[in-house]
Amino acid sequence: MTAPMLDRTPGVAGVAGVAEAPATATGTAHAAAAAADPMLPRPFRVTARHLDTRDTVTLALDPLDGVPLAFAAGQFTMLHAFGVGEVPISISGDPRSCGPLLHTIRDVGSVTHALVGATPGTAIGVRGPFGTGWEVGAGQGGDVVVIAGGIGLAPLRPALLELAHDRAAYGRVVLLYGARSPEDILFAGDLARWAAHHRITVEVTVDYGPPDWTGRVGLVTDLVPRAGFDPAHALALVCGPEVMMRAVATALVARGVAPERVRLSMERNMKCGVGLCGHCQLRELFLCLDGPVLGFDRLAPLMDVREL
Amino acid sequence: MAGPAILAPSGLQALLDVLRARGYRVLGPQVRDGAIVLAELADAAALPVGVGDAQAPGRYRLRDGEPDRVFGFATTAQSPKAVLFPPDELLWRGRRTADGFSIEPVAPADEPDHRPVAVLGVRGCDVAAIGIHDRVLLGRAHVDAHYAARREEAFLVAVTCSAPGGTCFCASVGTGPRPRAGSDLVLTELTEPHRFLVEATTAAGEAVLAELPTAPATADDLAAADALVEAATAQMGRSLRTDDLHELLPASAESPRWAAIAERCLACTNCTAVCPTCFCTGVEDASDLTGDLDERHRVWDSCFSLPYSYIHGGAVRTWTASRYRQWLTHKLASWQDQFGTSGCVGCGRCITWCPAGIDLTAEVATIRELAEAHDAVAAASDGDVLGGHR
Ligand SMILES: Cc1cc2nc3c(=O)[nH]c(=O)nc-3n(C[C@H](O)[C@H](O)[C@H](O)COP(=O)(O)OP(=O)(O)OC[C@H]3O[C@@H](n4cnc5c(N)ncnc54)[C@H](O)[C@@H]3O)c2cc1C
Ligand code: SF4
Ligand code: SF4
Ligand code: FES
């Protein structure tokens, strides 16, 4: 068989009437692709499994190849349960730590069920890290309000760890956290530690409280107007169900926080994490690449349209 | 570059032979099951000589074309997308091991009897669509390694379209009927006498051309090709105005038209499957009975399917109207933000293969009319309100 001619670069043809995008160096891109195909999972091993609540588990993972995975607070990975499937999960550990990679996972379906059930020793595939981060540092010199609903506290934990670590660089730091019920409260130890040792104001509210619950009952949104922070110099980080995020962001903007300083972590179906599968699109955004963390200035008009 | 050349009709066999001798698996248009499709081609006699196609919304059939004409039809039913970006691509194989599992990447070259592909008869619309896939899948932050491998080794022989169909509108979106840059060779089928004008557009194309029995083209040949392009341009069944779509469609997110379309749309996903630029995929994990082997496949997916947007708690786009809106808005507007080009090359396939005969060119026109009417009403009532209250 004669070798075919390979001395060509694929042409890039535009559709007339539209501005040409900058020419792309496809040759270089091909070389990069060969080096690291972002679709190939790397095997990690579960080194510890901590039951956070009745349906949520934190897994500690170590890379089998020994190369640690560097990430920014707010980024996610695609976690692969061998023979079951792959889902996007945010990293919940400390971005500064060289220790094991942490993910906090709520059991809601087939893949998360397999992940939550993974015992120490189990191998898990990891792709990533992908996506944008919280950019906590942008809040330095001002107040920071962190608002979480349910499992939404997990993606925010790396940001809170960063705030706690650099506490002196920030003004007031407030965490408003809504859980379904007292027994669904995540990271209770962290919450107590942040409040006691890092001057973080922690306000917890639950949807349903049993008779012996002495804390707050109600929506986390209702805590926003009363939280002590200076809206003109605040950075807000929000993660939770989309309806909750929209309500919270609207309330924050109404209090005077600049929309671009209200950052939300968006959730959509994600199959690739690298902008190729199309699933995570929100109009012109690929939420796996342009997000998941984005400013409310970009998101507000898109969140206003039903089923966009 | 060597100038344009003339190839006799018998020279098509020489072209196939040269490509095959260079190691290509050659695909070309052929009649299969009542349609003209791309299939492996060794013998030029298998080309659809004298066969044409009749395409209309929701309708496709073969018809008698001009006798002797080899490329006297509009488009192949499926585009070369299925070749360079197959509906099911094996990405890797995983194997359980003593200490966990190992992942073995699978490349197209690992297929048994793999050969690089040469496609004969690619229309201008499809050449442009491949250029768009190059941007989407090769030109951004992350590269689709499998597409990169197939694309890099592929050889494309484009053919100027002389018989646009009833659903075609490449002329209005600037992708045809004369193929733009992106292929290796461009053929134009001329008559009286029957002959092919051949132009090489890459070094690879030039090398192939050098091996063909050709004569230099004359000014008359070039003029005949121009006349053919002009005649084909005048025959387009449809047209699409594109200049305002980037603003029009996002601004029409709440247009009543989406619900009206949804009354006809079956969400069957045909349009996205035949569209040469749609690139959405899902992954399927297949494991064997022992659970020791795991395979990851990348498969075509469609924004028209309900599970496509599923997240825990329910799909984001539950209405067909939202899904059609996603498709059209992505294709014609968001695509421009994402990739600097429209996502529609005017091939007309989504119109032809829609069982309900939904025509995006007509829907865009209606959405535009509704938006203009809405603006007019708004302007009028605005005036009234201000006039009355100031
Ligand atoms: C950026 C991002 C970060 C996330 N971080 C976390 C986290 O830290 N902890 C956590 O518990 N959950 C997180 N999720 C949600 C998690 O991905 C889903 O709960 C999970 O995909 C459900 O899969 P399943 O197979 O268990 O559920 P099923 O209901 O069986 O889902 C079937 C399939 O639908 C898709 N799917 C379902 N729900 C979602 C979803 N919410 N998002 C994306 N795809 C979905 C998946 O492909 C899934 O395999 C995150 C989601 C995103 C997009
Ligand atoms: S949207 Fe329709 S006409 Fe346009 S490229 Fe896709 S299939 Fe062809
Ligand atoms: S139109 Fe739909 S299927 Fe086609 S690329 Fe866009 S989102 Fe994917
Ligand atoms: S998850 Fe595939 S494009 Fe974003």
Side-chain angles (χ1 to χ4, degrees), chain B residues 129 167 169 271 274-278 327 331-332 343-351 360:
Chain B
T167 59
F169 55 100
C271 51
V274 294
C275 178
T277 67
C278 271
W327 180 69
K331 184 106 331 200
L332 300 175
C344 176
V345 296
C347 73
R349 289 187 181 90
C350 58
I351 308 172
L360 84 165

Side-chain angles (χ1 to χ4, degrees), chain B residues 99-124:
Chain B
D99 64 346
F101 59 84
S102 65
I103 299 284
E104 173 204 332
V106 179
D110 299 332
E111 289 165 353
D113 193 28
H114 174 83
R115 277 170 296 157
V117 136
V119 188
L120 171 63
V122 188
R123 296 303 192 194

Side-chain angles (χ1 to χ4, degrees), chain A residues 100-227:
Chain A
L101 183 66
L102 301 190
H103 291 84
T104 303
I105 307 155
R106 192 174 148 219
D107 179 356
V108 298
S110 55
V111 181
T112 49
H113 187 71
L115 291 170
V116 158
T119 47
T122 310
I124 301 274
V126 179
R127 296 197 291 118
F130 299 130
T132 53
W134 290 112
E135 291 167 26
V136 183
Q140 291 191 358
D143 295 350
V144 180
V145 207
V146 179
I147 307 178
I151 188 71
L153 186 58
L156 282 164
R157 186 170 178 270
L160 285 155
L161 291 170
E162 242 181 270
L163 288 165
H165 183 270
D166 294 333
R167 186 62 190 85
Y170 300 88
R172 275 166 292 188
V173 177
V174 182
L175 167 61
L176 312 179
Y177 171 38
R180 274 174 304 175
S181 74
E183 58 176 7
D184 291 306
I185 293 172
L186 281 174
F187 312 138
D190 286 331
L191 300 180
R193 196 164 46 83
W194 291 331
H197 303 300
H198 299 281
R199 288 183 295 116
I200 296 181
T201 309
V202 178
E203 304 269 10
V204 179
T205 178
V206 297
D207 297 337
Y208 315 100
D212 61 342
W213 169 252
T214 53
R216 261 180 250 276
V217 177
L219 293 177
V220 72
T221 324
D222 299 337
L223 301 179
V224 174
R226 287 181 289 124

